[in-house]
Amino acid sequence: MKRKVSLVLSSGGSRGLAHIGVINELEKQGFEISSVSGSSIGAVIGGLHAMGKLPEYTDWVKTMNRQVIWGLLDFALSTSGLLKGEKAFAKMKTIIPDMNIEEMSIPFVAVATDLLNEREVIFKSGSFYEAIRASVSIPTIFTPVMYKNLLLVDGGVLNPVPIEYVERVQDDILVVVNLYGGKKNEMVKTSLSNIDQNSTRLNGLKKSMPKLGSSGYNGGLGYYSMLTATTSAMIHKIAKQHIERFRPDILINIPNDSANTFDFHKADELIKAGEMAAKEAFSKYLNS
């Protein structure tokens, strides 16, 4: 009989493409994913797997380059976020139709953050796209979501590794994929600065906004980079404490500087990184 796995997928921007590699390796090793929970990109990948549509998403994301990614960024220029996020999800819906979470083939939970009441909001039913749009609302980057009179932002703000919400079964294996592993490099530049600098739309955006990336002063951080680095430090600490509290059977760490927020053009590289990290973790577990 296949060993059942309760899978928890952390937040972490485009690094979450490594979650695909982990799922691929789990299935290759003969494990059965019996339930999944996720925050932000972890909710996206986890939900797509639960609805049986991860292969379609994988094929799509592998076609992305910087130009395609840029075309999916719909700038809001509002005080509550840079991006509306409507373009990307509209495109996804043409490839993968919406589905109610309760109709998925395996139990799935997405986590968002109720910003005003400082609490987690758990999605176990209703529209998949409604749940993940709330769960991926990175503060200052994506505009927040109004849901039942609540102001929702990224699930990773309060719970980047939602271990307590995954549905457990007897004798299952708790597997956690943490996108906040140790750094490979000392400094990570903002992902927006990596988007085609020659784009006329970006040049127009620069005229109306403060610098988003490096300030150019001795490699110092600009406004956006400083805000992102500060937020990331807090989320990394929460993730570490959460993992130490729940002690998963298998912990798969992906270096937190493997990619920046919008580096979806690195799909092949990140999926492979997930497969390799999972293979190593599973080998240690099975030989322990």
Side-chain angles (χ1 to χ4, degrees), residues 112-115 121 123 134 137 143-147 150-154:
T113 299
D114 174 1
L115 189 61
V121 174
F123 289 88
S137 297
T143 54
V145 171
M146 288 301 302
Y147 173 80
L150 303 176
L151 188 67
L152 302 185
V153 296
D154 195 292

Side-chain angles (χ1 to χ4, degrees), residues 68 103 182 195 217 268:
V68 172
E103 296 173 357
I195 298 174
Y217 179 70
D268 284 318

Side-chain angles (χ1 to χ4, degrees), residues 160-179:
V161 192
I163 300 173
E164 66 270 49
Y165 296 116
V166 71
E167 186 173 307
R168 304 295 302 274
V169 297
Q170 187 175 3
D171 297 325
D172 67 357
I173 301 170
L174 178 61
V175 177
V176 171
V177 186
N178 174 39
L179 302 179

Side-chain angles (χ1 to χ4, degrees), residues 1-5 7 20-33 49 173 175 250 252 272 274-287:
M1 293 181 62
K2 291 184 177 181
R3 290 295 304 274
K4 293 185 181 298
V5 163
L7 180 64
I20 299 174
V22 171
I23 291 171
N24 291 344
E25 189 63 28
L26 271 168
E27 295 181 332
K28 182 179 178 181
Q29 296 279 349
F31 293 102
E32 177 187 349
I33 300 173
H49 176 71
I173 301 170
V175 177
I250 300 176
I252 301 168
K272 184 64 176 179
E275 290 174 347
M276 293 177 64
K279 187 174 183 178
E280 181 179 353
F282 297 154
S283 177
K284 289 182 180 179
Y285 175 78
L286 294 173
N287 292 325

Side-chain angles (χ1 to χ4, degrees), residues 165-228:
Y165 296 116
V166 71
E167 186 173 307
R168 304 295 302 274
V169 297
Q170 187 175 3
D171 297 325
D172 67 357
I173 301 170
L174 178 61
V175 177
V176 171
V177 186
N178 174 39
L179 302 179
Y180 304 105
K183 292 183 178 181
K184 294 187 297 184
N185 304 305
E186 291 184 1
M187 182 67 70
V188 184
K189 294 182 180 179
T190 174
S191 58
L192 289 183
S193 68
N194 291 333
I195 298 174
D196 187 4
Q197 297 296 313
N198 295 320
S199 169
T200 55
R201 289 177 64 194
L202 180 59
N203 290 335
L205 178 66
K206 282 183 175 180
K207 293 177 182 178
S208 59
M209 298 183 62
K211 289 185 178 179
L212 300 178
S214 172
S215 67
Y217 179 70
N218 294 331
L221 296 179
Y223 174 81
Y224 171 82
S225 295
M226 180 62 73
L227 185 62
T228 300

Side-chain angles (χ1 to χ4, degrees), residues 33-175:
I33 300 173
S34 57
S35 60
V36 61
S37 68
S39 278
S40 199
I41 187 64
V44 175
I45 302 301
L48 289 168
H49 176 71
M51 69 198 313
K53 296 296 184 180
L54 191 55
E56 288 88 338
Y57 176 82
T58 303
D59 290 342
W60 175 52
V61 79
K62 283 185 175 183
T63 68
M64 289 188 181
N65 54 35
R66 287 188 173 94
Q67 184 176 2
V68 172
I69 295 167
W70 180 259
L72 294 173
L73 300 181
D74 44 2
F75 291 96
L77 296 180
S78 74
T79 57
S80 59
L82 295 176
L83 304 172
K84 292 181 285 187
E86 295 171 2
K87 266 191 174 182
F89 286 114
K91 179 60 178 178
M92 273 187 66
K93 287 179 182 178
T94 67
I95 302 168
I96 302 166
D98 199 6
M99 176 184 288
N100 286 331
I101 294 173
E102 63 270 26
E103 296 173 357
M104 293 179 177
S105 57
I106 64 174
F108 165 67
V109 174
V111 179
T113 299
D114 174 1
L115 189 61
L116 300 182
N117 296 300
E118 300 179 3
R119 65 183 182 88
E120 298 155 26
V121 174
I122 311 305
F123 289 88
K124 293 184 177 181
S125 61
S127 163
F128 165 67
Y129 280 104
E130 188 173 60
I132 63 170
R133 176 59 185 87
S135 189
V136 304
S137 297
I138 305 171
T140 73
I141 296 181
F142 288 104
T143 54
V145 171
M146 288 301 302
Y147 173 80
K148 296 182 178 179
N149 295 319
L150 303 176
L151 188 67
L152 302 185
V153 296
D154 195 292
V157 170
L158 291 181
N159 198 339
V161 192
I163 300 173
E164 66 270 49
Y165 296 116
V166 71
E167 186 173 307
R168 304 295 302 274
V169 297
Q170 187 175 3
D171 297 325
D172 67 357
I173 301 170
L174 178 61
V175 177

